[in-house]
């Protein structure tokens, strides 16, 4: 759709954002190398001192960067700080230091045990790049390698990198107009930050690191491509200023995973919480959290959440998750194994305690709780969950729609559930048979995929017929243009992380329901994700 000036170097990836960008490339240096494992000639105490010094160097560097950063980036950096300052990292490393391993080897080994612990859980797996980045910074300090990035202040610049860490995106100045990364996917950190900052980006670009430094490069986020060019793309669609016409045409709720997230949402215009992931409380423990502990946490979330319905999702643990107390053995394909509601067949007490805690929290906070189950695949599972939740005194009950099998059965959910919430992250993974953690298949996970849009459309039509409310709480809803498409398809609520609330609300306020339907209709006619986005944008800006 864009230019006439493409030459032979075209790079394809997943486009993030609605626009085009042009600038001179700035390649970020490759990440510091981790030295081979080594024992130290120094004493464990001396190695520990080196490690403590390196950690505190990284802490103060991050803190300084956070002070200069905007609010969203500062929040990300402060979360990183909490990870690196967590005494558990040093404690874990100390076991290796005591065995005479060097500070470098000890901290890398500590990181590996943490990442193993986090890897099986989709939510926490997202923190792995952060953890890796932090440990690389510590190792860089220990080995005298440079990990400080300095970007030219005068642009326009297109940043090209293997991948970007939160600390690196924090250094972006206004000179950065575009981003190209080899790693990442539609839900990666880079994509999220670029979306928030309105910077067109291309992620999951296989050969990104073969791009030369200092060349003119155009990005077309809608076409999902970048190419060398001496001048800005012509004819690329760039969004003109949004005009607020009305209140958002559908409800915008917030996603949370902790009390702090509920607090953050209370400072936005989100109405209630559309997805409270309860996993956080269960992770990294020797046994399940007690009834009292869960009750207290859920009560606090209810007290802090913005006005509106609050939907708690019951534990979404999986078989390769670090929850040994659930008694699940090793599985070859954990994402296709015992995860989410399937756990209940193995161990009924976990869900029983959780539902009891939610019912108790509802009474204590004097605020009603909605509850939904993850990974529902059959009507029998939906029914079983409904019976359990109702028996615990909960009366707004729903299920996640994140497997193709339940998509086919939405009409039969009538009379069983009050609402469904589409989890586009997992629905993409299962619909396209593409691992959501694998950037090599990230293109299939693009939520603009026509099969995805058509599936959502079908769910909405069936749910409407059955009198069931439909929401979307997956990352797709955080793409503001896509949120308009979702509204047009019949979705009644979107739920997004706090930084995305404003932008999604703005888009949803700039159209009428009729206009959103036209945007959705345009997107539905496409046969590729790029075309879907392009057609939607053309209709939206029309
Ligand atoms: C989803 O799958 O879209 C979802 C919201 O759940 P999670 O990302 O926690 O698996
Ligand atoms: Mg999911």
């Amino acid at each position: 759709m864009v230019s006439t000036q493409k030459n032979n170097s075209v790079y394809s990836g997943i486009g993030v954002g609605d626009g085009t960008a042009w600038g001179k490339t700035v390649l970020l240096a490759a990440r510091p190398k981790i030295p081979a494992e080594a024992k130290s000639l120094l004493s464990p105490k001396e190695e520990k001192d080196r490690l403590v010094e390196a950690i505190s160097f990284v802490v103060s560097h991050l803190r300084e960067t956070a002070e200069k950063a905007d609010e969203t980036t500062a929040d990300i950096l402060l979360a990183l700080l909490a990870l690196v300052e967590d005494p558990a990292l040093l404690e874990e490393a100390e076991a290796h230091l005591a065995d005479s391993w060097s500070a470098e080897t000890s901290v890398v080994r500590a990181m590996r045990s943490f990442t193993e612990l986090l890897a099986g859980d989709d939510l926490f797996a997202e923190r792995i790049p952060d953890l890796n980045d932090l440990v690389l910074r510590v190792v860089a300090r220990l080995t005298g390698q440079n990990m400080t990035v300095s970007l030219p202040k005068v642009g326009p610049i297109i940043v090209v990198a293997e991948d970007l860490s939160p600390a690196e995106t924090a250094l972006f100045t206004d000179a950065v107009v575009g981003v190209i990364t080899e790693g990442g996917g539609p839900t990666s950190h880079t994509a999220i930050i670029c979306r928030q900052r309105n910077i067109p980006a291309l992620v999951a670009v296989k050969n990104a690191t073969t791009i030369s430094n200092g060349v003119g490069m155009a990005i077309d986020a809608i076409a999902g491509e970048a190419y060398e060019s001496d001048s800005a793309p012509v004819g690329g669609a760039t969004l003109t200023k949004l005009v607020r016409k009305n209140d958002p045409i559908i409800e915008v709720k917030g996603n949370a995973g902790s009390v702090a997230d509920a607090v953050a949402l209370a400072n936005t215009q989100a109405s209630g919480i559309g997805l409270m992931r309860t996993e956080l409380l269960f992770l990294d423990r020797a046994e399940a959290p007690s009834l009292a502990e869960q009750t207290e946490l859920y009560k606090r979330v209810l007290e802090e959440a913005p006005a509106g319905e609050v939907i708690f999702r019951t534990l979404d643990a999986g078989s390769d998750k670090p929850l040994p107390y659930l008694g699940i053995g090793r599985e070859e394909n954990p994402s296709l194994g015992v995860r989410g509601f399937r756990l209940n067949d193995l161990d009924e007490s976990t869900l029983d305690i959780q539902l009891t805690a939610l019912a108790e929290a509802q009474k204590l906070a004097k605020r009603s709780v909605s509850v939904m189950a993850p990974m529902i695949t059959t009507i029998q599972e939906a029914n079983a969950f409904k019976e359990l939740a109702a028996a615990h005194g909960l009366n707004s009950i729903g299920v996640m729609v994140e497997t193709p099998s339940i998509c086919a059965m939405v009409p039969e959910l009538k009379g069983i559930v009050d609402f469904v919430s589409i989890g586009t992250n997992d629905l993409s993974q299962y619909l396209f048979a593409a691992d959501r953690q694998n950037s090599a298949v990230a293109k299939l996970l693009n939520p603009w995929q026509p099969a995805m849009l058509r599936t959502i459309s079908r769910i909405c039509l069936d749910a409407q017929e059955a009198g069931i409310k439909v929401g979307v709480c997956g990352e797709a809803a955080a793409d503001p243009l896509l949120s308009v498409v979702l509204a047009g398809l019949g979705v009644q609520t979107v739920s997004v992380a706090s930084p995305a609330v404003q932008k999604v609300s703005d888009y949803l306020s700039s159209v009428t329901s009729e206009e959103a339907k036209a945007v959705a209709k345009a997107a539905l006619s496409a046969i590729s994700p790029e075309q879907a986005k392009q057609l939607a944008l053309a209709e939206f800006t029309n």
Side-chain angles (χ1 to χ4, degrees):
M1 62 167 292
V2 186
S3 163
T4 47
Q5 317 138 47
K6 279 186 217 179
N7 65 18
N8 45 12
S9 315
V10 176
Y11 301 88
S12 330
I14 298 178
V16 175
D18 310 323
T20 58
W22 180 88
K24 292 272 177 177
T25 53
V26 173
L27 259 66
L28 293 196
R31 299 268 155 95
K33 298 276 171 287
I34 294 188
E37 293 212 325
K39 294 263 177 170
S40 174
L41 296 175
L42 301 176
S43 70
K45 157 90 179 60
E46 287 166 317
E47 284 293 330
K48 182 177 169 189
D49 289 346
R50 290 182 64 227
L51 184 53
V52 169
E53 189 282 332
I55 290 177
S56 52
F57 173 84
V58 172
V59 166
S60 43
H61 176 70
L62 285 176
R63 195 160 277 137
E64 268 168 40
T65 318
E67 276 162 18
K68 288 185 225 136
D70 61 59
E71 203 181 324
T72 311
T73 315
D75 284 350
I76 294 171
L77 293 173
L78 294 175
L80 282 183
L81 265 178
L83 268 180
V84 76
E85 280 182 313
D86 188 337
L89 184 67
L90 190 58
E91 275 163 29
E92 183 73 29
E94 273 186 294
H96 305 294
L97 290 168
D99 261 353
S100 299
W101 290 104
S102 68
E104 291 85 340
T105 302
S106 302
V107 73
V108 169
R109 286 184 164 205
M111 172 194 72
R112 291 213 179 104
S113 357
F114 279 118
T115 48
E116 270 162 29
L117 207 65
L118 299 177
D121 184 296
D122 291 329
L123 177 61
F124 297 101
E126 284 169 17
R127 307 300 310 270
I128 292 176
D130 295 343
L131 192 59
N132 285 336
D133 177 69
L134 287 170
V135 170
L136 271 186
R137 278 165 197 279
V138 173
V139 169
R141 173 70 179 172
L142 285 166
T143 53
Q145 298 177 75
N146 187 13
M147 227 187 128
T148 45
V149 174
S150 69
L151 289 169
K153 297 219 164 24
V154 184
I157 300 168
I158 304 275
V159 172
V160 182
E162 275 168 37
D163 212 345
L164 288 166
S165 68
E168 284 160 341
T169 46
L171 298 172
F172 282 9
T173 59
D174 290 345
V176 177
V177 296
V179 167
I180 300 176
T181 63
E182 190 165 274
T187 62
S188 64
H189 163 78
T190 305
I192 292 168
I193 294 283
C194 290
R195 216 176 274 130
Q196 271 159 28
R197 295 194 175 190
N198 271 336
I199 300 176
L202 208 59
V203 299
V205 180
K206 267 208 186 99
N207 46 352
T209 45
T210 64
I211 294 175
S212 318
N213 203 18
V215 297
M217 180 72 63
I219 297 180
D220 180 348
I222 294 168
E225 58 186 34
Y227 48 90
E228 284 183 27
S229 167
D230 294 334
S231 54
V234 273
T238 325
L239 219 50
T240 44
K241 237 181 157 21
L242 291 177
V243 181
R244 209 182 165 89
K245 286 189 181 162
N246 32 252
D247 283 338
I249 52 170
I250 58 170
E251 203 179 19
V252 181
K253 292 177 155 300
N255 287 353
S258 62
V259 176
D261 288 347
V263 173
L265 285 170
N267 293 319
T268 69
Q269 41 184 310
S271 57
I273 295 182
L275 167 66
M276 169 62 201
R277 293 177 165 106
T278 56
E279 287 83 78
L280 203 59
L281 187 62
F282 287 77
L283 194 88
D284 194 12
R285 288 166 167 266
E287 54 192 41
S290 68
L291 174 63
E293 209 178 332
Q294 290 191 48
T295 306
E296 175 61 19
L297 179 96
Y298 305 150
K299 175 172 98 57
R300 287 181 56 210
V301 169
L302 285 170
E303 285 165 354
E304 300 295 348
E309 182 190 19
V310 178
I311 306 177
F312 285 81
R313 182 178 70 186
T314 56
L315 179 64
D316 188 20
S319 61
D320 68 340
K321 285 186 184 174
L323 300 179
Y325 50 85
L326 294 179
I328 315 160
R330 197 184 161 275
E331 294 175 302
E332 282 301 328
N333 289 303
S335 58
L336 304 181
V338 184
R339 64 166 288 201
F341 184 69
R342 298 172 184 188
L343 271 168
N344 205 46
D345 286 342
L346 250 172
D347 159 39
E348 291 181 357
S349 69
T350 303
L351 185 58
D352 178 53
I353 295 171
Q354 197 168 23
L355 293 172
T356 309
L358 285 169
E360 195 57 29
Q362 174 171 259
K363 274 189 222 138
L364 293 171
K366 299 189 179 61
R367 183 168 180 183
S368 55
V369 158
S370 293
V371 67
M372 65 180 177
M375 270 302 279
I376 291 292
T377 44
T378 65
I379 293 297
Q380 290 67 37
E381 287 169 354
N383 217 4
F385 178 70
K386 188 258 171 75
E387 298 278 314
L388 279 172
H392 282 81
L394 297 164
N395 47 29
S396 171
I397 301 167
V399 291
M400 296 276 297
V401 169
E402 47 187 354
T403 61
S405 63
I406 203 66
C407 293
M409 301 303 286
V410 171
E412 282 69 29
L413 287 172
K414 184 180 174 136
I416 300 178
V417 295
D418 304 297
F419 64 91
V420 293
S421 186
I422 306 175
T424 49
N425 309 337
D426 275 313
L427 187 53
S428 291
Q429 152 162 281
Y430 296 124
L431 195 59
F432 288 86
D435 182 348
R436 65 191 262 190
Q437 303 293 343
N438 184 345
S439 65
V441 292
K443 272 193 182 158
L444 297 171
L445 301 168
N446 186 335
W448 287 90
Q449 282 284 1
M452 186 66 179
L453 299 179
R454 291 177 192 199
T455 302
I456 295 175
S457 169
R458 185 77 257 153
I459 297 168
C460 290
L461 293 172
D462 287 347
Q464 200 174 9
E465 180 91 20
I468 297 168
K469 264 177 42 185
V470 188
V472 172
C473 63
E475 199 54 43
D479 176 333
L481 182 61
L482 191 48
S483 74
V484 173
V485 172
L486 295 174
L489 293 176
V491 167
Q492 291 148 297
T493 305
V494 283
S495 188
V496 299
S498 59
V501 170
Q502 176 76 47
K503 191 133 184 239
V504 167
S505 303
D506 287 348
Y507 269 62
L508 287 168
S509 303
S510 72
V511 286
T512 62
S513 300
E514 283 315 307
E515 285 164 345
K517 277 185 195 149
V519 175
K521 190 170 170 215
L524 269 186
S525 67
I527 57 161
S528 74
E530 294 77 22
Q531 193 192 16
K533 196 166 173 182
Q534 188 180 330
L535 292 174
L537 186 66
E539 183 62 40
F540 183 75
T541 49
N542 165 3

